[in-house]
Amino acid sequence: MAVFRIKGPSEGVTRPRVARLAPWLGLILTSLTAARSPTTEAARQRPTSAWLSAGPVQRRWLVAVLAVSGVFAGATALFTTNALHRIWGVAAVGAYGLAAIVALAWKSRGADLALLIALSGAVAGPLMWLAASGQAQPEVVVIARSADLLVRHGDPYQSQAQITQTGNPNSYNPYLPALTLFGLPHALGLPGLSSDPRLWFGLSFAVMLIFALKRARAPDPWRWTALIIATPAIALPIVVGGTDLPVLALMCLGLAFLRAEPRPIAAGLALGAACAMKATAWPALIIAGALLAASGGWRPVARFAAAALAVCAAVIGPFAALWPREVVQNTIMFPLGLTRIKSQAASPLLGHLLAQTGSVGRMVAIALLAAAGLAVAASLVVRPPADARAAALRLAVGLALMFTLAPSTRFGYFSYPAALLVWMWLAGPERRARPDETRSDRTQLAAVT
């Protein structure tokens, strides 16, 4: 190798020719290490499932979603035997079609106008029509009646003797007391649409979903919220029923508070409120607790549990203490099919098919349901969720098993696991800088400089 001599103050020093590049190489390496490219850094930290995360609402995806929604609405209008669903389908199919055309034809502002058209034609219009004509699914009537009972008698539940006299399964109130709050506008005599629980179900879902997406730093949360509400999965429940919507939104909000830089108390308050509405949210408490225990120890678990239990105790406690038999019969025995009058919830899923065979089959279904719950609980011990996305996935699987094996079930309950999976996609992977990586980066920088 050729060499050259650099004369110092006292003597000559022999170095290779490549030494001429040393100052420049040092400067380049220092710059790359001190100010790493955001794209490279994000790619290094992003998990292998990062391609599943959503970006801003894109026009081509919006057109596709609206087109599929229009096909679903048209099929509902043609083939359903439910009169309320048919009314929604007739109103929604034209709205989806027009919205898709607008989004496709107008590139600049077509997406926003398309969302407005879809929300107006698939949600607001049919909801106002059904509310004005007094048409709703039985659960809306149950919520309104429970609020009337709460205002008049202080108890939202009827006794078994009162229900037996009616012979009507809709005389049961299978919901926990917090959901009764959505019927208070009706009980207090508010006029028109403002007294309908469906309006408040939908508004609470929208507000809490926006907060959940903002907390998770999801892109374009307002448009995604509008698109989600405009799809049949949410629009149809809002128009005809909607008791599950605030529970769904609170579960997503609770999970959002468990992402990077978790806030256990806020998560406990959100999930505690969901658990005070419907028992379908109870598994979320266990899974969230397992996540906090695995990532932060028992101290955040204690704060989370204290907040959740405080909400449940404040909302459910007084009724459970004063009317324990009515609460158990309405919210536990009736959903499990253990009362004389059976629930009308019936979809050809495994739990319901087993229950239809008789008392033995019903007990087998309940045993399978308990076994599935124990299996999910065991998985939390063997391999607890590492982050909020993993917790959402575990919760979606657990709820899917529960709805499949429950003696009284509906296909509509699968909106829970579906919504959790959509929330996972919108929230995207959690990007947390690992301490060992930070120390390594600093060591490399010091070595170069």
Side-chain angles (χ1 to χ4, degrees), residues 129-201:
W129 172 264
L130 292 178
S133 57
Q135 302 180 71
Q137 288 190 162
E139 56 264 33
V140 179
V141 179
V142 169
I143 293 296
R145 185 186 64 243
S146 67
D148 290 337
L149 291 172
L150 179 63
V151 171
R152 295 177 183 178
H153 307 292
D155 181 11
Y157 302 103
Q158 298 187 81
S159 66
Q160 183 63 52
Q162 293 172 317
I163 296 172
T164 302
Q165 290 178 357
T166 65
N168 182 8
N170 294 322
S171 297
Y172 284 101
N173 176 15
Y175 310 116
L176 293 169
L179 209 57
T180 303
L181 298 177
F182 292 91
L184 288 180
H186 177 272
L188 297 176
L190 268 65
L193 181 62
S194 63
S195 67
D196 198 302
R198 289 171 290 185
L199 172 66
W200 304 107
F201 291 148

Side-chain angles (χ1 to χ4, degrees), residues 249-269:
L250 281 170
M251 291 168 68
C252 293
L253 182 59
L255 290 170
F257 282 124
L258 295 176
R259 284 174 64 87
E261 300 179 1
R263 296 174 59 185
I265 295 178
L269 293 175

Side-chain angles (χ1 to χ4, degrees), residues 163-367:
I163 296 172
T164 302
Q165 290 178 357
T166 65
N168 182 8
N170 294 322
S171 297
Y172 284 101
N173 176 15
Y175 310 116
L176 293 169
L179 209 57
T180 303
L181 298 177
F182 292 91
L184 288 180
H186 177 272
L188 297 176
L190 268 65
L193 181 62
S194 63
S195 67
D196 198 302
R198 289 171 290 185
L199 172 66
W200 304 107
F201 291 148
L203 289 177
S204 64
F205 177 84
V207 171
M208 288 185 289
L209 182 60
I210 288 174
F211 280 140
L213 293 178
K214 282 182 171 292
R215 166 65 187 174
R217 297 181 179 179
D220 215 356
W222 291 89
R223 286 192 179 93
W224 275 119
T225 299
L227 179 56
I228 289 170
I229 295 175
T231 60
I234 304 299
L236 178 56
I238 290 177
V239 170
V240 302
T243 54
D244 294 304
L245 297 180
V247 185
L248 271 172
L250 281 170
M251 291 168 68
C252 293
L253 182 59
L255 290 170
F257 282 124
L258 295 176
R259 284 174 64 87
E261 300 179 1
R263 296 174 59 185
I265 295 178
L269 293 175
L271 293 179
C275 292
M277 291 182 181
K278 293 192 74 171
T280 48
W282 292 358
L285 285 181
I286 301 174
I287 293 176
L291 167 62
L292 288 172
S295 60
W298 292 105
R299 185 170 295 178
V301 174
R303 294 199 298 267
F304 167 78
L309 293 177
V311 174
C312 291
V315 177
I316 304 174
F319 303 99
L322 296 174
W323 301 281
R325 180 176 298 178
E326 286 79 3
V327 172
V328 171
Q329 288 174 341
N330 281 267
T331 63
I332 297 177
M333 296 182 65
F334 176 66
L336 290 177
L338 300 177
T339 53
R340 294 179 181 178
I341 303 174
K342 307 302 180 184
S343 172
Q344 292 178 328
S347 293
L349 296 168
L350 179 59
H352 177 71
L353 294 177
L354 287 172
Q356 290 296 100
T357 62
S359 58
V360 175
R362 184 175 300 277
M363 297 309 297
V364 170
I366 295 174

